[in-house]
Amino acid sequence: MLHLPPMQLTCSGTAALVIALTTLKQRYPHKPYVIIPAYTCPLVALAIHHCGLKIKLCDLGHNTFDFDFEHLTQILDEQVLAILPTHLGGQVADVKRVKALATPYGITVIEDAAQALGADVGQSGDIVFYSLAAGKGLTLFEGGLLGASNQNLAIQLQETAQQIIPQRPFFEAKRIIELLGYTALYNPFGLHFVYGQVRRRLVNRGQLIEAVGDDFDFSIPLHHVSRFRQNVATHAVDRLPEFLQQTRQQALTRIKQLQDLPNLHIVSSNSDNITAVWPFIMLKLPTQQQRDNILNELWASPFGVSRLFIYDLPNYTYLNAIIPPHSMPNAANFAQTMLTITNSLWLTELQFQQILRVIQKHVN
Ligand SMILES: *Cc1c(COP(=O)(O)O)cnc(C)c1O
């Protein structure tokens, strides 16, 4: 379905990245650095740290989730083990361009497709991983997929997983209970009252990092995925093509309406002839004030308007020890001026129109 070689199932996207980096570190012990976008999931930074490797940040380009390629060119050298182009919000990053820059230095390209299951990705990089965590589309509450274009590398990834991933049945039992709970609540009212209620309380108290779930633990759970949860995932795969088709159509219709508003930038893939997916729609406002005004009206509503990661990586205090302290102006600006609108099929047309009106009021 994904037009990729077979992949291995892991207990999370982060675990998939840990397996990939551990494999590469064994292959290239003299390359200690991993380059990641300065605006990405904090778990990516924690996975690199977990593997005893060092983080190098690349700023974002202007008005995009993708790399600033001028900056990327400056920070490449033989000491770099891997680069992670990241398909944020289901939008496709320019992996071919990264690959061309990386090859002369013997750098491995790992596509972070955690938010892009079903998009046209994984073809140009050396390694690709997806996340099957709750909230990212097809889910087994926590899970991941890992694959490589080269068959030898794919086999090595499997061998590493056998070496470093323990059974830990109690961890898996906890995940099964969490998955059953999530399934029981998987309807507009359940999610609204249980998950939404907690989030709204945190937003109202100003605990933004906690509200969006950016406050991750330094210890990364690594364990086997049970046959039971594998079966849940297999059944979910049957529904995925239709789900992607419906959400794609909804996103394209709604993006058209958003494009009619002035001063609004819709963050999307740079090229039109590739297939993206839309777990949510990313918007960038001209100023932080406008973004905050819109969120003040909508964040506490049940309409699924929120932020992605609260900060660029240098601005998370809890990551200070592992992130180089250089300022990343475009990434910081992206964090300050972007918001997300859910692309859930449960967001009705009426609700979307209400969101549009609030945005319109503040961009005019
Ligand atoms: C969620 C996410 C990850 C980690 O995936 P998990 O399955 O939650 O461990 C990695 N990268 C990005 C961009 C993500 O959004």
Side-chain angles (χ1 to χ4, degrees):
M1 209 182 84
L2 301 171
H3 310 291
L4 295 173
M7 278 182 280
Q8 54 172 312
L9 184 67
T10 61
C11 64
S12 68
T14 310
L17 180 55
V18 166
I19 294 165
L21 291 175
T22 304
T23 308
L24 295 176
K25 192 183 171 188
Q26 283 168 5
R27 265 197 179 190
Y28 309 102
H30 301 298
K31 288 171 166 279
Y33 289 100
V34 180
I35 295 179
I36 58 175
Y39 184 81
T40 189
C41 180
L43 284 169
V44 172
L46 294 174
I48 296 167
H49 175 69
H50 175 96
C51 295
L53 295 163
K54 294 186 191 129
I55 295 159
K56 256 195 191 190
L57 295 183
C58 180
D59 202 0
L60 305 188
H62 179 65
N63 263 358
T64 171
F65 64 96
D66 207 351
F67 287 128
D68 171 348
F69 281 90
E70 230 166 89
H71 188 210
L72 183 62
T73 310
Q74 287 164 14
I75 59 176
L76 292 180
D77 60 40
E78 257 90 27
Q79 299 235 68
V80 177
L81 180 70
I83 307 178
L84 272 75
T86 301
H87 306 293
L88 210 64
Q91 302 305 299
V92 181
D94 193 346
V95 183
K96 279 202 182 113
R97 195 162 168 194
V98 174
K99 182 71 185 157
L101 290 170
T103 304
Y105 298 98
I107 301 171
T108 304
V109 176
I110 303 176
E111 294 187 45
D112 181 343
Q115 302 186 359
L117 185 69
D120 210 353
V121 299
Q123 313 279 349
S124 313
D126 303 297
I127 293 175
V128 61
F129 71 92
Y130 297 95
S131 168
L132 306 178
K136 304 211 189 191
L138 191 161
T139 188
L140 32 161
F141 200 76
E142 289 281 4
L145 292 170
L146 174 64
S149 49
N150 176 289
Q151 204 186 348
N152 283 337
L153 183 53
I155 290 169
Q156 277 190 339
L157 293 176
Q158 280 168 13
E159 286 169 356
T160 306
Q162 276 163 12
Q163 285 160 17
I164 69 168
I165 307 295
Q167 286 279 356
R168 300 183 79 181
F170 287 108
F171 244 108
E172 177 58 21
K174 180 167 171 268
R175 292 289 184 245
I176 290 176
I177 292 165
E178 286 169 328
L179 176 61
L180 293 174
Y182 186 75
T183 310
L185 293 166
Y186 196 74
N187 61 69
F189 300 104
L191 292 189
H192 173 65
F193 282 109
V194 179
Y195 296 94
Q197 214 69 275
V198 175
R199 184 174 51 83
R200 277 184 292 280
R201 199 173 319 132
L202 290 168
V203 167
N204 288 333
R205 281 202 220 129
Q207 291 173 270
L208 303 184
I209 295 184
E210 291 82 359
V212 300
D214 275 357
D215 51 336
F216 298 105
D217 202 310
F218 268 60
S219 84
I220 296 169
L222 298 174
H223 58 95
H224 279 194
V225 178
S226 60
R227 199 41 74 83
F228 172 73
R229 286 204 303 144
Q230 289 181 33
N231 284 335
V232 171
T234 312
H235 284 290
V237 169
D238 293 338
R239 301 191 302 267
L240 189 61
E242 197 191 335
F243 174 80
L244 291 174
Q245 173 60 27
Q246 287 176 340
T247 47
R248 179 170 294 134
Q249 205 160 5
Q250 174 170 283
L252 293 176
T253 315
R254 291 184 173 173
I255 283 170
K256 266 211 195 89
Q257 300 183 56
L258 287 161
Q259 278 166 338
D260 287 339
L261 302 181
N263 303 322
L264 204 58
H265 178 72
I266 291 131
V267 181
S268 58
S269 311
N270 289 329
S271 163
D272 281 340
N273 32 11
I274 32 167
T275 314
V277 292
W278 282 271
F280 43 80
I281 298 169
M282 296 187 280
L283 296 183
K284 203 168 168 295
L285 281 297
T287 68
Q288 177 171 12
Q289 190 61 56
Q290 285 167 315
R291 193 280 307 269
D292 289 345
N293 288 343
I294 295 168
L295 275 179
N296 280 342
E297 283 196 48
L298 291 174
W299 206 343
S301 78
F303 294 172
V305 176
S306 185
R307 278 158 73 172
L308 192 49
F309 312 117
I310 295 292
Y311 299 120
D312 58 320
L313 292 174
N315 275 308
Y316 286 102
T317 319
Y318 84 103
L319 295 177
N320 273 354
I322 65 170
I323 301 286
H326 311 133
S327 88
M328 296 283 148
N330 288 340
N333 173 264
F334 194 82
Q336 284 163 359
T337 58
M338 72 91 74
L339 61 81
T340 58
I341 304 174
T342 182
N343 189 32
S344 163
L345 297 169
W346 292 335
L347 184 76
T348 65
E349 202 44 46
L350 213 65
Q351 291 170 323
F352 183 71
Q353 293 307 324
Q354 274 174 271
I355 295 172
L356 271 184
R357 273 196 295 279
V358 173
I359 295 174
Q360 186 162 25
K361 189 167 84 191
H362 292 289
V363 288
N364 272 330

